[in-house]
Amino acid sequence: MTTTKIQIPCQKLISGGQTGVDRAVLDACLKYSFPCGGWYPKKPVRIVRPDANPAHIIPWLILNNINTLNVAHPRKSEWINAYTLTYRFITELIVKIKSSASVNQP
């Protein structure tokens, strides 16, 4: 009997919950029923601009075997567009993660 392993990149997003980037991550996860939480694990670090293509993050998640992704900072008082741009980016990332998981299923 052969068992097919399905690799789903990133199964959870976490954030600190501050205004701006952190809160946008949590709100996007809650709206799209994506697992989320709020603690900071020791993990590889990658700085991503919010105008980047979220699809480019998927290979990095797989390569680094990241099941829980922490997204953080800056807060809204430091970057006025933090919430809006991060919410849009994370929404697109969630859609890509979910679609890549459904494509890989037998």
Side-chain angles (χ1 to χ4, degrees):
M1 174 184 244
T2 304
T3 304
T4 305
K5 270 185 118 174
I6 300 171
Q7 183 160 9
I8 301 172
C10 188
Q11 298 172 28
K12 183 176 183 179
L13 295 171
I14 62 172
S15 178
Q18 295 180 9
T19 60
V21 168
D22 295 16
R23 190 66 232 181
V25 171
L26 296 176
D27 287 347
C29 287
L30 293 172
K31 180 173 181 179
Y32 290 92
S33 300
F34 198 82
C36 62
W39 55 277
Y40 191 84
K42 182 178 180 182
K43 60 174 195 54
V45 173
R46 181 168 180 176
I47 297 172
V48 178
R49 294 181 50 86
D51 57 353
N53 182 343
H56 295 152
I57 304 302
I58 303 293
W60 181 79
L61 293 170
I62 293 169
L63 178 68
N64 289 286
N65 196 30
I66 295 174
N67 290 319
T68 302
L69 178 65
N70 182 44
V71 181
H73 290 279
R75 63 182 63 170
K76 190 173 183 178
S77 63
E78 297 167 357
W79 180 32
I80 195 69
N81 294 322
Y83 182 93
T84 304
L85 295 175
T86 303
Y87 186 89
R88 182 181 321 146
F89 181 86
I90 293 299
T91 296
E92 291 177 27
L93 180 61
I94 290 169
V95 168
K96 301 235 182 270
I97 289 169
K98 286 186 170 188
S99 67
S100 71
S102 63
V103 167
N104 291 324
Q105 291 184 3

